[in-house]
Amino acid sequence: SLAYLVTLRWAEANAENIETVGTYYEQRLHDLADEFSGVITAIEGRRHLAGVFFDDIELSKRFAGLLSKGGLDISVQTYKKGCPPCALTKLPLIAGPEVVDFVISRMEKALESLTKRKAPRK
């Protein structure tokens, strides 16, 4: 209970920064989906909690596997019948923009590896 109360107070005190970073992460995910539109079919969710959707279940599993090997805890939802595979991402509230950039960079490298092509640089 105490840990929850401390976290709640911290989140209230840092709400503006949490919103800014979450919005930045969401935008970076949409940019990544645009760069890899032949592989990523959609980004759903909001701010720190988002799903990266694929048409190919094996590709989505390999994507999550590459990220897991790199130390990122990302799983793929594959158990819902009729639901496209989705890599579930959950950034911690304490993440800053540098964490977002790191995570997106790892995702980009994984996608480049899986598709054997480089993403266009902005």
Side-chain angles (χ1 to χ4, degrees):
S1 296
L2 180 59
Y4 173 76
L5 290 174
V6 169
T7 301
L8 186 59
R9 296 272 188 233
W10 183 89
E12 288 172 347
N14 293 282
E16 186 176 327
N17 186 57
I18 291 168
E19 182 176 345
T20 298
V21 172
T23 299
Y24 177 61
Y25 180 56
E26 188 176 341
Q27 183 57 54
R28 291 292 314 270
L29 282 173
H30 283 283
D31 293 344
L32 188 69
D34 289 343
E35 290 175 4
F36 290 94
S37 60
V39 179
I40 297 174
T41 59
I43 301 293
E44 292 186 11
R46 188 149 189 235
R47 297 190 183 127
H48 291 70
L49 178 62
V52 180
F53 284 81
F54 297 82
D55 275 336
D56 184 320
I57 192 167
E58 291 307 317
L59 189 66
S60 64
K61 287 180 183 180
R62 289 177 26 223
F63 174 74
L66 288 170
L67 294 173
S68 292
K69 284 180 185 176
L72 299 178
D73 183 19
I74 295 180
S75 61
V76 177
Q77 176 180 289
T78 59
Y79 53 86
K80 288 186 179 180
K81 187 175 181 170
C83 182
C86 174
L88 304 172
T89 70
K90 301 169 206 147
L91 286 186
L93 293 179
I94 61 170
E98 64 284 346
V99 172
V100 171
D101 292 340
F102 175 81
V103 170
I104 295 296
S105 173
R106 289 285 175 97
M107 289 180 176
E108 189 173 68
K109 286 179 182 158
L111 290 163
E112 287 172 351
S113 171
L114 294 172
T115 61
K116 308 291 189 241
R117 70 174 179 84
K118 293 282 186 191
R121 299 289 178 219
K122 293 182 178 188

